[in-house]
Amino acid sequence: MKQFFFLFVSLVPTFSGCVLGQDQDPIQQKYATEINPESARRHLSILASAEYEGRGTGELGGEKAAAYIAAEFKRLGLTAPVEGSYFQPVKLVRTRFDVKEFAIAGQSFRNGKDFYFVGGGPETHIQAKDIVFIGYGISEDKYDDLKGIDIEGKVVLVLSEGEPKDSKGNSLITGTDTPSDWATSNTKRLQNITSKKPELIIAVSNTLKESLARFGYRLTQPRIALDEGKSQVTHTAPVVTIGKDMANLLFAKTGTSVDKLSAKIDATQKSQSGVYKVDLNTSFGSKTEPFTSNNVLGYLEGTGLKDELLVITAHYDHEGNQNGVIFFGADDNGSGTTGVLEIARAFAKAKSEGHGPRRSILFMAVTAEEKGLLGSNYYSRHPVFPLENTVVNLNTDMIGRIDDKHLNGNHNYVHAIGSDKLSSELKAINEKANATYTQLELDYMYDDPKDPMRIYYRSDQYNFAKHGIPVIFYFSGLHPDYHTPADTVDKIHFELLCKRARLAFHTAWEIANRDQRLVVDSNKE
């Protein structure tokens, strides 16, 4: 019945008794229709094409995408606000961790194929004749793998999954069949071990083959970070993750194995930590080089309140070309970038026809989001316009698909994340714009502070929110093609993409033209 109602009102928008049309501003609605599927498809078919090779940060495809967006901003008549340029160079560093050698008992293995190495620091060579086996790396009153053992400067081997159990299969830590946080946390045992300052951590994983099959190439790629103007070399213990076969080869001359040691821990309910003779030879180290990648900025000057600013963002980078496999990133985040281009075109046309906004608007496509929200972080630390004059950030990141939650239900939705984290007015404005113009289901599931995905903190709006600027993150949710080569243009729902972008447009229109800037009256997690 609800679906029929939405269809009915969409067919008769001029009927005076219709909720959808009764409060519409015809001027605002006129320019909202500039955001259309045909134009969106043209943009996205270019941005997510093979020519742009997944728009990797620091890669040619990423540079092509930045140039395309800048050309569109220029075509729309937006001002180039960075000393006459559309580009804000973001200073980055690329740190490559090279493993020159990793050999056990004279047998050589390859990083990313047989194991994977995560670390930093200067070039290091280790020729180990013994290692310290430290069980599960657990330190508890009931069970302690590190009690009385000095591992500083040593090579250690740890079981990276599971925990010791009693004869009934219960955790020795919890005393029940509920696993302890040593088993469920991805970082707890590693933090415990690194605090003891070993030279090298060898972690034995039962899921190594699956990890290498899915992430092998990425695991060996350089890390990208903001250039802080100081050494990027870290000195925490590097971690090499190996499988049981390699671990058993390490133990070959001792007559034991990983399974024998773990079984003995369970049988005795005591740690079996100790020193074992091995033959291990490895050389590794980090090399760092600086480079730049551009945020792309287009500025639309307002009228009476032009010193106040709205910032509308999307990241244009994705995962690039990985060993010949293109990660197209149509939804993540070609869709959001397309949304920004469409919203910019709508506002630019409004201004050209005498209906420009009272407040100024900065349209910004940011780089290196996939590397840790780096482009937006850089802008927030080096703003082109004062942050104290920035009244809101509206961010579109993945607005072109239907997520798993809604796949078999209502497709007419958007996740509106963070809208009342800092401003109750912002949420109310967005809801009114939606009720008046777009009639989407506004899903607030990710606003839950207990959200295990922590989605609010994982896109560019957070770098504005942490400076006290109200934000909304428009998001259509996760799907099976997320961060895979299968995130392609043919799977984008362009009508929904445009509808979600129109909601951002209508919300921006109201904020840009209201008498008072948004009140900041909340501080929600």
Side-chain angles (χ1 to χ4, degrees):
M1 190 70 179
K2 182 183 289 187
Q3 289 177 335
F4 173 78
F5 172 74
F6 286 139
L7 176 62
F8 174 75
V9 297
S10 68
L11 292 173
V12 287
T14 59
F15 180 55
S16 60
C18 172
V19 172
L20 181 60
Q22 66 182 1
D23 296 323
Q24 285 187 358
D25 171 5
I27 295 175
Q28 185 180 158
Q29 178 63 4
K30 171 186 175 182
Y31 297 110
T33 61
E34 291 294 318
I35 301 170
N36 66 82
E38 293 75 22
S39 176
R41 186 182 295 274
R42 285 194 298 271
H43 286 310
L44 190 51
S45 295
I46 293 170
L47 290 167
S49 66
E51 180 185 353
Y52 283 57
E53 296 187 281
R55 307 182 305 279
T57 301
E59 299 175 12
L60 180 59
E63 294 176 2
K64 286 182 177 180
Y68 176 83
I69 296 162
E72 285 299 305
F73 285 167
K74 183 177 181 179
R75 187 179 66 81
L76 294 174
L78 302 182
T79 300
V82 189
E83 298 179 348
S85 173
Y86 292 101
F87 300 119
Q88 180 190 40
V90 177
K91 297 179 180 179
L92 301 168
V93 290
R94 182 187 289 111
T95 301
R96 183 179 297 278
F97 188 77
D98 289 327
V99 182
K100 293 182 178 179
E101 182 180 17
F102 193 87
I104 299 172
Q107 183 175 341
S108 294
F109 298 91
R110 289 172 52 194
N111 188 24
K113 182 177 184 295
D114 305 308
F115 64 93
Y116 63 90
F117 220 130
V118 178
E123 187 168 334
T124 301
H125 177 71
I126 296 174
Q127 190 168 8
K129 296 303 180 183
D130 54 53
I131 61 171
V132 183
F133 174 69
I134 55 171
Y136 294 95
I138 293 173
S139 295
E140 290 276 353
D141 291 339
K142 296 179 180 178
Y143 176 91
D144 193 340
D145 282 309
L146 297 172
K147 185 177 181 180
I149 295 178
D150 179 15
I151 62 171
E152 184 172 352
K154 307 288 180 60
V155 178
V156 302
L157 186 143
V158 63
L159 305 175
S160 66
E161 296 139 1
E163 61 183 320
K165 296 182 178 180
D166 63 20
S167 59
K168 296 179 180 179
N170 293 327
S171 162
L172 292 186
I173 311 303
T174 66
T176 70
D177 59 1
T178 301
S180 73
D181 54 0
W182 292 94
T184 58
S185 170
N186 292 326
T187 59
K188 185 166 183 175
R189 80 183 75 201
L190 188 59
Q191 290 171 344
N192 184 44
I193 299 165
T194 55
S195 71
K196 313 295 184 182
K197 300 180 180 179
E199 183 177 31
L200 175 66
I201 300 170
I202 302 175
V204 184
S205 171
N206 295 317
T207 60
L208 175 72
K209 289 183 179 179
E210 292 84 350
S211 296
L212 288 175
R214 187 173 181 186
F215 303 114
Y217 181 78
R218 297 189 205 181
L219 292 169
T220 61
Q221 290 309 288
R223 297 191 308 276
I224 293 175
L226 288 176
D227 187 347
E228 305 287 0
K230 57 186 178 183
S231 173
Q232 301 292 315
V233 176
T234 60
H235 296 284
T236 57
V239 181
V240 55
T241 300
I242 66 174
K244 278 188 181 181
D245 289 346
M246 289 177 64
N248 290 336
L249 183 60
L250 266 175
F251 285 129
K253 62 173 61 177
T254 69
T256 190
S257 68
V258 169
D259 288 337
K260 288 179 181 179
L261 288 167
S262 59
K264 193 171 184 179
I265 292 171
D266 290 345
T268 64
Q269 298 187 24
K270 293 181 180 179
S271 170
Q272 299 300 310
S273 297
V275 179
Y276 291 81
K277 295 296 181 181
V278 299
D279 181 5
L280 173 68
N281 196 19
T282 181
S283 295
F284 53 85
S286 295
K287 294 181 180 179
T288 298
E289 60 179 2
F291 73 105
T292 61
S293 182
N294 293 310
N295 290 333
V296 191
L297 284 64
Y299 178 67
L300 188 75
E301 187 175 67
T303 54
L305 297 171
K306 66 181 181 180
D307 289 339
E308 295 183 7
L309 184 76
L310 289 71
V311 181
I312 300 178
T313 54
H315 75 90
Y316 69 86
D317 64 301
H318 191 56
E319 295 288 348
N321 185 330
Q322 299 186 17
N323 203 27
V325 178
I326 297 174
F327 286 64
F328 294 94
D331 192 30
D332 185 15
N333 183 34
S335 65
T337 304
T338 294
V340 168
L341 290 173
E342 289 291 288
I343 295 166
R345 185 163 57 84
F347 273 108
K349 185 168 184 181
K351 181 174 180 178
S352 71
E353 295 180 355
H355 298 290
R358 297 172 71 191
R359 290 179 175 84
S360 300
I361 304 177
L362 179 66
F363 301 95
M364 180 163 61
V366 297
T367 187
E369 187 269 358
E370 301 289 3
K371 306 304 180 183
L373 316 185
L374 303 183
S376 56
N377 188 358
Y378 187 87
Y379 178 86
S380 74
R381 295 162 66 175
H382 305 277
V384 175
F385 299 93
L387 290 185
E388 58 266 27
N389 291 351
T390 301
V391 302
V392 74
N393 170 231
L394 304 179
N395 182 48
T396 56
D397 189 351
M398 297 177 61
I399 59 170
R401 293 282 295 268
I402 298 165
D403 65 8
D404 294 337
K405 176 182 178 180
H406 296 87
L407 197 59
N408 295 317
N410 177 27
H411 294 179
N412 191 57
Y413 76 96
V414 68
H415 296 282
I417 303 170
S419 62
D420 67 345
K421 297 283 190 184
L422 291 163
S423 173
S424 58
E425 282 187 344
L426 178 56
K427 183 176 184 179
I429 289 169
N430 191 60
E431 288 183 340
K432 183 177 180 181
N434 181 59
T436 305
Y437 295 100
T438 50
Q439 298 255 308
L440 291 157
E441 172 199 338
L442 299 181
D443 192 325
Y444 295 118
M445 64 177 285
Y446 292 120
D447 278 343
D448 185 344
K450 296 180 181 179
D451 166 31
M453 300 294 291
R454 291 179 64 79
I455 295 292
Y456 173 66
Y457 304 92
R458 288 172 53 183
S459 193
D460 294 297
Q461 82 291 329
Y462 182 66
N463 280 320
F464 291 88
K466 71 184 184 182
H467 289 281
I469 297 167
V471 302
I472 301 178
F473 167 17
Y474 297 99
F475 179 55
S476 57
L478 300 173
H479 48 76
D481 298 325
Y482 173 69
H483 278 212
T484 76
D487 181 8
T488 50
V489 174
D490 59 298
K491 297 171 184 174
I492 296 295
H493 298 263
F494 283 96
E495 290 284 356
L496 278 173
L497 186 161
C498 291
K499 201 170 190 181
R500 292 158 178 159
R502 287 188 207 112
L503 175 57
F505 168 82
H506 288 299
T507 299
W509 184 286
E510 169 61 22
I511 296 168
N513 290 294
R514 69 201 304 260
D515 291 334
Q516 302 297 321
R517 67 182 288 171
L518 289 172
V519 64
V520 179
D521 59 351
S522 304
N523 187 23
K524 295 184 177 181
E525 292 184 12

